[in-house]
Amino acid sequence: MTKETHIDYVQEPILSASPEVRQIIDRVWQLEKSRLDKKINSHINDDILAIVKEAVR
């Protein structure tokens, strides 16, 4: 498996997701990125739950 094929295989579930799910994925990714930039090691579960609950409303 080439590197490009591997990346496509990994990204396929994200690319084929509905717009709502992609929005959740993007917001969680942004949250995690900002936490890594700030080197915050606390739990992220409550923040992810809030994102999902907001998207479901």
Side-chain angles (χ1 to χ4, degrees):
M1 184 179 289
T2 67
K3 187 174 183 176
E4 275 187 34
T5 305
H6 181 66
I7 290 171
D8 291 342
Y9 176 76
V10 170
Q11 291 181 341
E12 190 276 327
I14 297 169
L15 298 174
S16 65
S18 68
E20 295 84 3
V21 172
R22 289 182 74 174
Q23 181 182 19
I24 292 170
I25 293 168
D26 186 54
R27 290 188 61 201
V28 170
W29 174 74
Q30 291 292 334
L31 173 66
E32 182 62 17
K33 183 180 180 301
S34 71
R35 293 166 57 86
L36 288 172
D37 290 343
K38 297 174 188 172
K39 299 184 181 189
I40 299 172
N41 294 326
S42 63
H43 297 305
I44 192 172
N45 295 345
D46 292 336
D47 297 331
I48 293 173
L49 182 60
I51 290 170
V52 172
K53 282 183 177 180
E54 183 180 314
V56 171
R57 290 182 191 166

